[in-house]
Amino acid sequence: MSKTPSETVRSLYDAFNSNDLEALREVIAPDIIAHLPGTSADAEHPPGTPRDREGWLGVWQFTQAFFPDMQAEVQQIVETGDMVATRCVARGTHSVEFMGAPASGKVFEMTMLNMSRVLDGKIVEHWTISDNATMLAQLGIKLSL
């Protein structure tokens, strides 16, 4: 029996929270279009550039390097057709230098809204909106504009 779109998305969070890269590859289509805010500063992938599976996993690994204990708790999930929306809270600890700020041991908590389109048990398109400004404020990191 195949998974519902909501079950597929829950598998994504389970794999993320258990740091299981291969399980992530199982639920994310290779040619996914992942819309991730502010994830890169390189010339090839300016912030907000859609990513494929390996690009999204690279961003995920980058995040895990800075916040190895980060977990995402799904607080609400809504499915309509092939679309799944989730509201979750991500929590982690500032345990290594991040954006020039030395590790502080401070814990952050930020809200994330995600929407995924699922076909044949794979996530084929994904959008993320995360409250990075609140996370940075909780860690005491000030942005210069």
Side-chain angles (χ1 to χ4, degrees):
M1 187 165 105
S2 63
K3 291 181 177 182
T4 67
S6 290
E7 290 170 335
T8 297
V9 170
R10 284 196 185 276
S11 295
L12 174 82
Y13 287 100
D14 291 344
F16 175 82
N17 288 334
S18 62
N19 197 18
D20 188 341
L21 198 59
E22 290 312 309
L24 285 167
R25 281 193 176 95
E26 287 298 313
V27 298
I28 300 171
D31 58 348
I32 187 172
I33 300 169
H35 307 274
L36 310 172
T39 55
S40 175
D42 65 59
E44 184 180 350
H45 298 100
T49 302
R51 303 297 182 107
D52 61 9
R53 180 176 64 191
E54 294 308 310
W56 187 12
L57 293 176
V59 170
W60 177 76
Q61 290 174 302
F62 176 81
T63 303
Q64 286 293 314
F66 287 108
F67 306 108
D69 67 339
M70 190 165 125
Q71 297 282 295
E73 175 190 341
V74 175
Q75 295 186 321
Q76 186 174 16
I77 190 163
V78 177
E79 176 182 332
T80 182
D82 63 356
M83 298 297 289
V84 179
T86 56
R87 178 177 51 84
C88 63
V89 172
R91 297 177 181 91
T93 308
H94 183 201
S95 56
V96 299
E97 182 180 326
F98 179 66
M99 295 183 66
S104 66
K106 293 178 181 177
V107 176
F108 71 85
E109 180 175 298
M110 72 173 173
T111 300
M112 296 174 59
L113 298 174
N114 298 296
M115 190 163 52
S116 300
R117 189 164 59 91
V118 179
L119 294 176
D120 300 323
K122 301 273 188 192
I123 299 170
V124 297
E125 194 161 14
H126 180 85
W127 297 261
T128 293
I129 298 172
S130 53
D131 188 2
N132 295 329
T134 295
M135 176 196 72
L136 294 173
Q138 291 171 1
L139 300 179
I141 298 172
K142 295 184 183 2
L143 292 177
S144 299
L145 298 177

